Amino acid sequence: MHWHPRKLHENYGPEARFAVEREAELPTTAWDREVARGLELGLPGADSIVDRRIPTFSRGELPHFAGINTFLKAPYVEDVRTCGDYDVAVLGAPFDGGTTYRPGTRFGPQGIRRISALYGPYSFELGVDLRESITVADLGDVFTIPGNIEKTFDQISKAVSHVYASGAFPVVLGGDHSIGYPTVRGVAEHLSGNLGIIHFDRHVDTQETDLDERMHTTPWFHATDLPNVPPQNLVQIGIGGWQAPRPGVQVGRERGTTIMTVTDCVEMGIEAAAERALEVAWRDAEAVWLSFDVDCLDAAFVPGTGWPEPGGFLPREVLKFIQLIADAAPLAGIEVVECSPPYDNADITSLIATRVICDTLGCLVRSGHLPSNRKETAS
């Protein structure tokens, strides 16, 4: 059946009207290639199959419940030396040796990948089809060392450094939040200028040690000890509740970091809060890293995390915030941390983690920040 374009009626809301109009402008070139590839590699479907685009073996997006789990069913790239051939490179950091209460975030990358199969590459509201706009690869997981946090940090830094140097946009699936230090370290070494950090969380994570070690409560103390990661360019969004240790608050006060509580953001408005966060993080900075801890959301929406705290953001508030940040300027990369599938209900924590990544990528695409012109320099 062929549909003919017609004038849109006047009953759409403004966002829906944009979305419907935008969809008609999106190409299907990459989807057509995926269908052809599926038929070639997976064999044409059985004679009884009417839709001849369906192969015998699943080799692509559909059906969503089939296939081997990679992020958004992106191709698994075993040879990580080729990651620069892609616009976006997804890598897992399955580590929970920095947790101080509930473990389980070592399974975060698995959980996020598994539920990401629920999503397609097209966002109705954003008017973006990632499949038609960028190339995404899944590099698998960093080889973390369960009994040694420092060796794990070195592994993660080397992995993120490799991806960033290739020109691909790094997407890191955590893992507990201790990985914030080595991920930032992996990017900062490639910059001639400063790196800012936009950090979503309910906890400050700025104390020097916890339980006598560098843990998931300490990444930003050590990240902002790096020579080109000034604490004045660290903005922390959503902090509050009964789990913000005083030593970390003291460090932030002494070092001049910026904290914005949930109430701050809601009362000033998400748009104004995002504007302030961008101004702080980007002030005299060459690049900005986005670190998203799922526990910045209210505990009702993220049961699968190590330190759930009531009173956090609503999902629509967080997604709006993320969209404004990604629309504003190119990012150095993103990590999503503290997703703990063993404590999750119906994968809803992994689902919000997936959505944050997809919205970030979608807004970077629609604003022209992806594909990145940094790839030309890297190559």
Side-chain angles (χ1 to χ4, degrees):
M1 179 179 294
H2 296 284
W3 296 99
H4 300 286
R6 55 176 291 182
K7 184 178 179 180
L8 294 182
H9 57 70
E10 300 302 322
N11 296 325
Y12 290 107
E15 185 178 49
R17 185 180 187 87
F18 160 80
V20 171
E21 289 178 334
R22 176 63 180 146
E23 191 280 329
E25 301 170 356
L26 295 173
T28 61
T29 307
W31 168 241
D32 295 338
R33 283 200 302 265
E34 184 174 304
V35 169
R37 179 180 179 275
L39 293 172
E40 178 184 0
L41 302 182
L43 306 179
D47 292 343
S48 60
I49 300 297
V50 176
D51 186 345
R52 299 313 297 172
R53 297 172 299 177
I54 295 177
T56 299
F57 290 87
S58 173
R59 288 293 182 272
E61 178 189 350
L62 301 175
H64 289 281
F65 51 80
I68 297 171
N69 288 130
T70 60
F71 187 77
L72 292 184
K73 295 196 172 180
Y76 169 57
V77 175
E78 190 169 12
D79 186 352
V80 299
R81 294 170 298 180
T82 66
C83 66
D85 294 341
Y86 298 84
D87 299 313
V88 175
V90 179
L91 60 154
F95 182 72
D96 56 12
T99 54
T100 54
Y101 183 53
R102 298 199 308 199
T105 53
R106 68 179 63 188
F107 301 108
Q110 288 183 8
I112 295 170
R113 288 185 174 107
R114 182 177 61 249
I115 200 61
S116 77
L118 180 65
Y119 278 17
Y122 164 64
S123 167
F124 178 70
E125 299 100 317
L126 299 183
V128 169
D129 190 327
L130 296 179
R131 176 168 45 205
E132 303 296 333
S133 308
I134 55 174
T135 54
V136 182
D138 193 322
L139 308 185
D141 291 341
V142 177
F143 195 130
T144 59
I145 312 300
N148 193 306
I149 197 168
E150 298 300 330
K151 290 181 180 179
T152 292
F153 285 175
D154 292 342
Q155 289 281 86
I156 293 171
S157 288
K158 184 173 181 179
V160 172
S161 174
H162 170 75
V163 171
Y164 188 81
S166 78
F169 181 84
V171 174
V172 183
L173 314 178
D176 69 52
H177 215 160
S178 67
I179 73 167
Y181 166 57
T183 54
V184 164
R185 186 173 62 177
V187 171
E189 67 181 65
H190 295 286
L191 303 180
S192 56
N194 290 339
L195 178 65
I197 302 169
I198 295 179
H199 165 222
F200 284 81
D201 208 323
R202 287 292 273 161
H203 316 110
V204 289
D205 293 351
T206 46
Q207 58 201 85
E208 183 174 6
T209 60
D210 194 353
L211 306 179
D212 207 40
E213 295 286 344
R214 300 202 280 196
M215 305 293 276
H216 69 164
T217 48
T218 71
W220 309 129
F221 180 96
H222 302 286
T224 57
D225 261 355
L226 297 169
N228 61 337
V229 187
Q232 294 81 11
N233 287 96
L234 169 63
V235 56
Q236 304 181 275
I237 302 163
I239 308 302
W242 293 86
Q243 301 162 2
R246 291 182 62 185
V249 177
Q250 179 183 353
V251 167
R253 182 170 58 245
E254 292 174 349
R255 291 191 171 189
T257 66
T258 295
I259 292 176
M260 302 167 68
T261 69
V262 172
T263 301
D264 288 334
C265 296
V266 172
E267 291 189 351
M268 71 191 302
I270 298 299
E271 290 83 357
E275 184 177 355
R276 181 174 299 178
L278 287 161
E279 193 279 326
V280 171
W282 278 102
R283 186 183 301 141
D284 299 322
E286 178 183 344
V288 167
W289 178 258
L290 178 57
S291 181
F292 188 90
D293 187 329
V294 296
D295 69 30
C296 71
L297 286 120
D298 187 273
F301 302 102
V302 286
T305 191
W307 284 94
E309 171 68 30
F313 285 113
L314 300 176
R316 63 174 175 265
E317 293 166 343
V318 155
L319 294 175
K320 180 65 175 178
F321 215 134
I322 290 290
Q323 290 167 14
L324 291 166
I325 287 169
D327 272 331
L331 293 168
I334 178 177
E335 63 190 3
V336 177
V337 300
E338 295 293 349
C339 186
S340 184
Y343 287 93
D344 210 359
N345 294 327
D347 295 315
I348 62 173
T349 308
S350 296
L351 186 62
I352 191 65
T354 301
R355 178 63 187 270
V356 165
I357 295 168
C358 289
D359 277 27
T360 299
L361 295 179
C363 288
L364 289 171
V365 165
R366 76 174 181 180
S367 298
H369 306 317
L370 279 177
S372 171
N373 58 14
R374 194 173 60 81
K375 289 182 67 63
E376 300 172 4
T377 305
S379 58

